[in-house]
Amino acid sequence: MRHTSQHDFEGFWSPHTASVDFCEPNYAVTHYIAEPHNVWSSGVFVAFGILGAIYANPTKEMMFTFYYLVLTVTGLGSMALHATLDAMWQSSDEVPMLWLNIAVIIILFEVKSTPKGTWRSRAFTIFMLLLGVVQTVLYYTLQSFYHAFLASFIISLVILSLGVTHYAFEDQRPDVLPLRRNLWLAASTCGIYIGAVTWIFEMTNCEWLIAYYIPVSGLTLHIVWHLGAAWGTYLATVMLSVVRIQALGMHAALKWRFGFLPVAVIVGGEDGKKMK
């Protein structure tokens, strides 16, 4: 995060009303988009949301569909925030991120519910959705409290990370553990060791990094954060899809779509051989 500097230009959306300003020099590329590189890199979340909804929901269940829908909205909100640096679009970026955590909490709670079509606790799911509504209303009322959002997001992210880690290593059977573990390692590497570490480094060193961003038309390390976070989030959800398949007593495997998109699949289809 930084203050406006001499490297920034006035643009179409000036003056900015968002409580945050990122390290990309404003309007360095075009008069109409405040941070164009952060805009296109946010589009990766949209891509994963759409592709995930189509190809990465092997059990065809609403909890995963809901998750991918929220992931898509999160990407669109992030694109809007970086394009405008406007307070309204800041909320439209940050509120979906909180909803994304709610979606993952629901998956973590319901991923072992059997048989398919039943709920471990419908009341818990309704409670989480209502919590999301209350959270949304409060946030739009208190748009300027960025640090409150950040604290809430980080705390819930830690809880989710612990839940995902639990499911990655809970089953030590040799036909189960490797796939879950490898997806968890890939998700952690992308989301934490690449994405989050880069985000922290840039946001705490923005004032001197910006001098290096000017000669490359505003390309910043925030792009690495977007790519790492998008991949980490997606891969963690693929791992939970594997857990879900196995919880339903079927065998899971990894398949590549378009040569770059890993998706969980049910070996032999839903009528395939059940796990012992």
Side-chain angles (χ1 to χ4, degrees):
M1 199 182 305
R2 66 182 175 88
H3 303 290
T4 301
S5 75
Q6 71 272 21
H7 300 294
D8 293 320
F9 300 93
E10 290 293 312
F12 183 80
W13 300 99
S14 299
H16 302 141
T17 56
S19 63
V20 292
D21 194 354
F22 301 89
C23 295
E24 183 175 342
N26 299 337
Y27 303 104
V29 176
T30 172
H31 175 75
Y32 297 100
I33 303 176
E35 298 175 346
H37 295 300
N38 284 342
V39 171
W40 69 255
S41 58
S42 295
V44 178
F45 291 96
V46 179
F48 277 130
I50 295 173
L51 292 172
I54 297 173
Y55 299 107
N57 185 1
T59 56
K60 309 299 181 188
E61 292 178 285
M62 181 57 67
M63 58 183 174
F64 287 104
T65 300
F66 175 66
Y67 168 84
Y68 286 119
L69 173 63
V70 177
L71 183 61
T72 302
V73 173
T74 300
L76 292 172
S78 180
M79 293 175 73
L81 168 61
H82 288 296
T84 65
L85 293 178
D86 183 84
M88 181 183 73
W89 295 117
Q90 178 181 350
S91 298
S92 300
D93 165 58
E94 294 168 355
V95 168
M97 292 170 67
L98 297 172
W99 274 95
L100 196 65
N101 287 349
I102 288 174
V104 178
I105 289 173
I106 292 173
I107 292 174
L108 288 170
F109 194 78
E110 296 291 346
V111 73
K112 288 297 191 74
S113 60
T114 56
K116 181 179 175 181
T118 62
W119 294 84
R120 184 178 176 183
S121 174
R122 190 180 298 271
F124 176 81
T125 299
I126 294 173
F127 168 77
M128 292 305 301
L129 294 176
L130 289 175
L131 179 63
V133 172
V134 172
Q135 192 171 247
T136 300
V137 172
L138 288 175
Y139 191 84
Y140 273 102
T141 305
L142 307 171
Q143 289 182 6
S144 61
F145 286 80
Y146 177 75
H147 293 290
F149 152 76
L150 196 60
S152 174
F153 179 76
I154 291 174
I155 290 171
S156 59
L157 194 61
V158 169
I159 294 172
L160 297 180
S161 298
L162 292 174
V164 171
T165 301
H166 166 73
Y167 281 123
F169 294 96
E170 66 158 355
D171 194 328
Q172 296 291 312
R173 287 177 294 174
D175 60 335
V176 172
L177 177 62
L179 181 55
R180 293 191 192 185
R181 180 191 57 205
N182 291 341
L183 284 168
W184 176 85
L185 285 171
S188 299
T189 299
C190 292
I192 299 175
Y193 303 119
I194 295 176
V197 169
T198 300
W199 183 85
I200 293 170
F201 172 76
E202 184 186 56
M203 296 300 273
T204 55
N205 296 279
C206 194
E207 296 296 338
W208 69 267
L209 281 172
I210 195 169
Y212 297 94
Y213 293 156
I214 297 295
V216 290
S217 300
L219 286 167
T220 72
L221 291 174
H222 204 73
I223 296 170
V224 178
W225 154 245
H226 282 161
L227 297 178
W231 270 107
T233 301
Y234 174 77
L235 290 170
T237 311
V238 172
M239 194 215 77
L240 291 175
S241 297
V242 169
V243 175
R244 181 60 178 154
I245 292 170
Q246 294 166 342
L248 293 173
M250 296 176 287
H251 291 276
L254 206 62
K255 180 178 180 180
W256 292 87
R257 292 275 188 177
F258 313 112
F260 74 91
L261 185 72
V263 298
V265 296
I266 301 170
V267 177
E270 291 205 34
D271 296 325
K273 184 178 179 182
K274 300 287 184 178
M275 292 183 69
K276 296 181 179 179

